[in-house]
Amino acid sequence: MTVTRRDFMKYTGVATLPLVTGTTFAQTAEFNMKFGCNLPATHPLSTSAMKMAEKIKTETKGRVNIQVFPYNQLGNDTDMLSQLRSGALDFMTLSPLILGSLVPLAQINGVGFAFKDYKQVWAAMDGDLGAFVRRQIAATGTIFAFDKIWDNGYRQITNSVRPIEKPEDLKGVKLRTPPGPIWVSLFKDLGASPTPLNFAEVYSALLSKVVDGQENPLAIISTAKLYEVQKYCSLTNHMWDGYWFMGNKKIFEGMPQDLQAIITRNVAEAAALQRAEVYKLNESLANDLKAKGMAFNNGNTDAFREKLRQSGFYADWKKKFGDEAWTLLEKYTGKLS
Ligand code: X2X
């Protein structure tokens, strides 16, 4: 069965028209800019970006008009990343792990079961680990990341075969992962059959059963309506992931300093709002998803960790990332291997 984009829109009820902010100043703005992301317009990442764009427009007195294009309207993550690099796109949010194909060290927050809680996450990502990764991103010469990473959350596994409680339950499960090398490695080591796909293809791939399952935080399972095409939700918390808010370096650095400062401050302020809203959703959505028909269970964290230890996951990635990066990670998480 082939699901077209039109079918997809019909199933998910997502509007096909771009959500254009800042129409008042659109004609007169000195800087008409575009921001793209992969999440639905109702997810806090998109709503925060829209509020941010409004504030930037007001504070720059209409000189900067950022149009927000949610839910892959400009293309999937891979497409948007190449647009960002070429300057066809001004800003985007992207998982550090997906950025991994271009900036391998950016994947370091994706080490399985690394961060015990949000205290560790923000200490690391707002601290030396995040700064280290942002330096790697800036070293591409074409793109850069703003200081405060936006939240996605702790990831949970959904599928339509069985509840996933321990690694053995993943055996034979075709699990969609985002296109990031460490994701494929993690789920291969846990015994699943990982299939990397961009998020833009996930709903239709689950619907047509090209894959059995996927893994994402509850806010995404809810706003992207994945509960419509998935039965089981297993709370594994196997990894925390966020979104670097990134810009095209040349375009941004070509802007007047006062405008750069307004944008930079607003990206950080929007990050704070976005983090609070995502946290609230991820913490509170389980009952809502149960009412929509999903069956929840808890994952056995110790069993998953042990499997990763035995498979050599930690040793392999320590070697790939190198001592400097690994030491920075363990500064916040404690000893991992
Ligand atoms: O692709 C995904 O699953 C998502 C939405 O979580 C990311 O952007 C990494």
Side-chain angles (χ1 to χ4, degrees):
M1 175 180 174
T2 316
V3 179
T4 63
R5 185 153 184 91
R6 180 166 308 183
D7 286 332
F8 174 67
M9 295 304 174
K10 198 171 70 199
Y11 291 125
T12 59
V14 174
T16 51
L17 290 175
L19 276 147
V20 178
T21 59
T23 42
T24 330
F25 293 108
Q27 309 302 322
T28 52
E30 231 171 288
F31 295 92
N32 277 301
M33 309 182 89
K34 285 189 280 198
F35 162 80
C37 70
N38 65 3
L39 293 185
T42 50
H43 187 282
L45 185 142
S46 305
T47 54
S48 302
M50 288 178 220
K51 284 182 199 150
M52 182 197 78
E54 282 300 322
K55 277 188 68 200
I56 290 172
K57 187 180 67 182
T58 307
E59 288 180 25
T60 61
K61 305 198 170 34
R63 291 175 71 197
V64 178
N65 181 49
I66 302 175
Q67 278 181 266
V68 174
F69 294 89
Y71 223 3
N72 301 293
Q73 287 172 4
L74 301 177
N76 64 33
D77 283 331
T78 310
D79 299 329
M80 285 193 283
L81 180 59
S82 50
Q83 291 165 21
L84 187 77
R85 292 174 74 191
S86 74
L89 180 58
D90 304 284
F91 303 107
M92 79 177 287
T93 41
L94 185 66
S95 158
L97 283 63
I98 299 179
L99 191 56
S101 52
L102 180 68
V103 184
L105 282 166
Q107 299 177 90
I108 191 143
N109 68 274
V111 170
F113 303 96
F115 299 109
K116 273 149 219 76
D117 53 35
Y118 266 105
K119 223 176 128 202
Q120 288 188 355
V121 168
W122 300 136
M125 301 313 290
D126 291 341
D128 294 343
L129 187 70
F132 172 79
V133 170
R134 289 192 299 279
R135 282 197 298 276
Q136 306 293 323
I137 299 172
T140 59
T142 50
I143 59 175
F144 71 99
F146 287 88
D147 276 1
K148 300 277 171 179
I149 194 165
W150 291 28
D151 195 11
N152 188 346
Y154 279 89
R155 301 180 77 91
Q156 323 295 353
I157 301 174
T158 69
N159 83 106
S160 54
V161 181
R162 65 177 83 93
I164 308 298
E165 199 216 318
K166 51 194 183 308
E168 297 83 80
D169 300 327
L170 280 170
K171 194 145 190 263
V173 173
K174 252 191 131 182
L175 194 80
R176 174 271 172 174
T177 71
I182 201 170
W183 254 305
V184 178
S185 156
L186 181 88
F187 281 100
K188 211 178 258 166
D189 284 5
L190 287 176
S193 306
T195 307
L197 283 176
N198 272 298
F199 189 66
E201 280 91 61
V202 169
Y203 187 95
S204 59
L206 292 170
L207 178 69
S208 60
K209 305 215 184 301
V210 166
V211 291
D212 303 312
Q214 62 86 46
E215 42 83 62
N216 253 308
L218 298 189
I220 289 182
I221 296 166
S222 173
T223 55
K225 301 188 193 292
L226 302 185
Y227 55 82
E228 293 179 350
V229 286
Q230 294 281 267
K231 177 68 190 168
Y232 302 103
C233 184
S234 306
L235 300 174
T236 50
N237 293 301
H238 52 273
M239 158 203 307
W240 171 84
D241 197 26
Y243 281 96
W244 285 119
F245 197 107
M246 300 194 296
N248 175 285
K249 208 158 182 259
K250 196 165 159 213
I251 293 173
F252 191 72
E253 286 173 359
M255 295 177 82
Q257 299 257 317
D258 57 328
L259 299 184
Q260 285 186 32
I262 290 174
I263 294 172
T264 301
R265 179 170 41 75
N266 273 286
V267 173
E269 285 174 12
L273 169 76
Q274 194 267 354
R275 288 177 183 184
E277 291 190 354
V278 168
Y279 181 79
K280 214 164 51 193
L281 274 188
N282 282 337
E283 287 293 299
S284 66
L285 276 170
N287 281 337
D288 188 61
L289 290 166
K290 277 179 205 164
K292 289 187 158 82
M294 292 197 95
F296 274 69
N297 74 283
N298 291 320
N300 181 339
T301 307
D302 289 344
F304 285 112
R305 282 188 115 133
E306 189 48 37
K307 175 87 178 173
L308 289 182
R309 248 178 238 123
Q310 281 170 12
S311 72
F313 177 87
Y314 294 104
D316 284 355
W317 282 93
K318 181 178 177 178
K319 207 158 139 207
K320 279 186 191 140
F321 287 131
D323 282 344
E324 188 190 0
W326 199 262
T327 303
L328 273 175
L329 176 64
E330 287 189 334
K331 173 177 163 187
Y332 299 98
T333 62
K335 208 100 189 94
L336 285 171
S337 32

